[in-house]
Amino acid sequence: MNTSSKSVFYDGQSSVPKTIDIFLDSNKGQISFQIESKSIENEDEASFPIVSETYTWLINDIEFEHRSTALFLQHGENPIQTIKITDAASIATINQFRKASGQLSWYQTLLQKPLQFHVFLALFLLAIIGLSYVYMLPWVAEKSVALIPESYDDALGETFVDENSLFGDSQIQKTKLLNDFASGLQLNNKKKLNFKVIDSEIMNAYALPDGTIVVYTGILKEMKSYDELVGLLGHEVAHVNNRHSMKMLCRNLSGYLFISTVLGDVNGVMAILGDNVNTLQSLSFSREFEREADEEGFAIVSENQVNPKGMVTLFQRLEKEHSIDMPEFLSTHPVTKDRIQSIKKMIASKNHVVQDNSSLKILFEKLKK
């Protein structure tokens, strides 16, 4: 193949470049070119004959380097000779031959791309890294909770109780009543549960990773039947059974945990979780986790032959308390109306056996006093 463009040759001895035509022999894997010069045999002669010297370089002996839009070919050691090619068609032909013969790596191919391609690639990689950090890393952190011993859950729950005193005064008598109430239920718990009643007007309840379930008097006062309390406890127990607190904590701290894991700092993982234990009370579960807790809580209600409509009335009260509606895609919790509709669908899906439980009713009435 004869490249139609002119190339520039530097012989490594003179600073004066020479224009040459290069030829690529794909069968022999070599390039060749000629250098013309005057032959000085007799200094007295007025003119000197022009002679041509042919150079042949094996492709395997050439070092290739791309600089901007030019391709540089270097050959030899002492001196190092260089050919500069600027013709795009000639560069493409040489690169195509090198690629076909296995002499052009993917990295070298990438380097040959234009500036616009590299800018696009850089932006694409940054987008991938950003999306992975925002979405993929938290997901991996959540799934990796299965590798964390449950003893971590217990330690975090105990630390939270010690440091925060559960944000209110503990009601000893009502705490005992609530534990008696829970003991009369089949909760399908996977670990020991500890129920606490805290004196506060807040309409809330939450579960700690160690199995501690905190219920504020504010939400107890608003309840009208023990069915609602069973629904609430079933929901919170489902959070404990599925380790939702630990999963959300790991999701929120995934960046820090990733660095500690890469560095092999096992103690650092526990230290990071411990430093952020204060967030457990205000932890916002994902919509997926809330739906899962609703479904499992509903199953607990049904298994205990309690009226499942109690969950509906409970959420209706919470909806009134939190009356500011937000589109679901903007909220960390499912929209309460949607949760109510989901429970109503579960109620309508099959017949439920409901049996009045006088023991639970008596305990509930005592809790309301």
Side-chain angles (χ1 to χ4, degrees), residues 18-19 29 38 40 86 88 99 113 142 152 162 173 184 203-204 208 219 265 270 283 322 347:
K18 298 176 181 178
T19 302
K38 291 183 179 181
I40 305 176
T86 56
K99 185 176 182 180
K113 301 294 183 180
E142 175 192 319
Y152 277 39
D162 291 341
Q173 184 60 33
M203 282 188 62
N204 194 19
L208 295 175
I219 196 169
D265 184 9
M270 188 58 184
L283 203 60
H322 306 285
I347 293 174

Side-chain angles (χ1 to χ4, degrees), residues 92-353:
T93 301
I94 292 174
N95 286 333
Q96 185 177 2
F97 169 77
R98 292 178 64 205
K99 185 176 182 180
S101 60
Q103 298 180 20
L104 190 64
S105 67
W106 66 269
Y107 177 72
Q108 291 171 318
T109 303
L110 191 63
L111 290 178
Q112 298 166 13
K113 301 294 183 180
L115 177 62
Q116 294 89 334
F117 174 84
H118 289 281
V119 172
F120 173 80
L121 181 61
L123 293 175
F124 175 76
L125 291 176
L126 287 174
I128 292 295
I129 293 172
L131 290 173
S132 298
Y133 186 85
V134 174
Y135 296 105
M136 189 65 181
L137 189 58
W139 181 84
V140 171
E142 175 192 319
K143 299 303 178 184
S144 66
V145 169
L147 304 176
I148 300 178
E150 291 206 26
S151 58
Y152 277 39
D153 301 46
D154 299 337
L156 285 176
E158 292 171 2
T159 301
F160 179 86
V161 173
D162 291 341
E163 291 186 359
N164 296 278
S165 299
L166 303 176
F167 300 99
D169 296 329
S170 178
Q171 297 290 294
I172 298 175
Q173 184 60 33
K174 289 189 176 183
T175 292
K176 183 180 182 304
L177 289 171
L178 184 59
N179 278 276
D180 291 342
F181 184 95
S183 65
L185 298 170
Q186 177 58 45
L187 294 172
N188 301 325
N189 49 298
K190 300 176 181 178
K191 68 193 311 177
K192 183 179 178 180
L193 300 174
N194 179 28
F195 297 87
K196 290 183 178 292
V197 177
I198 301 300
D199 186 19
S200 173
E201 294 302 317
I202 299 173
M203 282 188 62
N204 194 19
Y206 58 89
L208 295 175
D210 67 338
T212 298
I213 294 177
V214 179
V215 180
Y216 290 112
T217 54
I219 196 169
L220 286 174
K221 291 177 182 178
E222 294 297 322
M223 292 181 181
K224 304 303 180 184
S225 70
Y226 74 91
D227 304 327
E228 298 179 31
L229 181 55
V230 174
L232 175 67
L233 298 185
H235 177 91
E236 297 302 332
V237 169
H239 281 316
V240 175
N241 288 345
N242 292 284
R243 304 181 73 185
H244 286 164
S245 294
M246 182 65 77
K247 288 178 180 178
M248 287 306 300
L249 191 58
C250 287
R251 280 178 65 95
N252 295 346
L253 302 173
S254 56
Y256 301 105
L257 294 175
F258 175 76
I259 294 173
S260 293
T261 304
V262 169
L263 297 177
D265 184 9
V266 178
N267 292 329
V269 173
M270 188 58 184
I272 292 170
L273 294 175
D275 288 343
N276 291 271
V277 70
N278 288 324
T279 64
L280 285 172
Q281 188 268 346
S282 59
L283 203 60
S284 294
F285 291 121
S286 67
R287 293 187 291 272
E288 175 190 352
F289 288 167
E290 289 290 0
R291 289 194 182 102
E292 187 176 17
D294 286 346
E295 292 172 1
E296 293 190 16
F298 182 86
I300 290 173
V301 169
S302 298
E303 185 175 348
N304 286 275
Q305 298 181 340
V306 173
N307 192 339
K309 292 182 179 179
M311 291 190 73
V312 175
T313 56
L314 172 64
F315 284 152
Q316 286 173 338
R317 298 187 202 288
L318 293 174
E319 183 184 17
K320 291 179 181 179
E321 178 70 14
H322 306 285
S323 57
I324 300 177
D325 288 334
M326 223 186 291
E328 184 170 0
F329 68 90
L330 294 178
S331 177
T332 56
H333 292 281
V335 176
T336 306
K337 289 181 180 178
D338 291 343
R339 295 173 71 181
I340 293 172
Q341 290 303 316
S342 296
I343 295 170
K344 286 182 177 180
K345 288 180 181 178
M346 287 188 281
I347 293 174
S349 64
K350 62 179 182 179
N351 294 325
H352 301 274
V353 177

Side-chain angles (χ1 to χ4, degrees), residues 18-36:
K18 298 176 181 178
T19 302
I20 59 171
D21 287 318
I22 63 171
F23 300 82
L24 171 63
D25 189 335
S26 57
N27 294 324
K28 294 182 179 180
Q30 64 184 27
I31 65 169
S32 59
F33 56 93
Q34 291 183 337
I35 301 294
E36 295 181 346

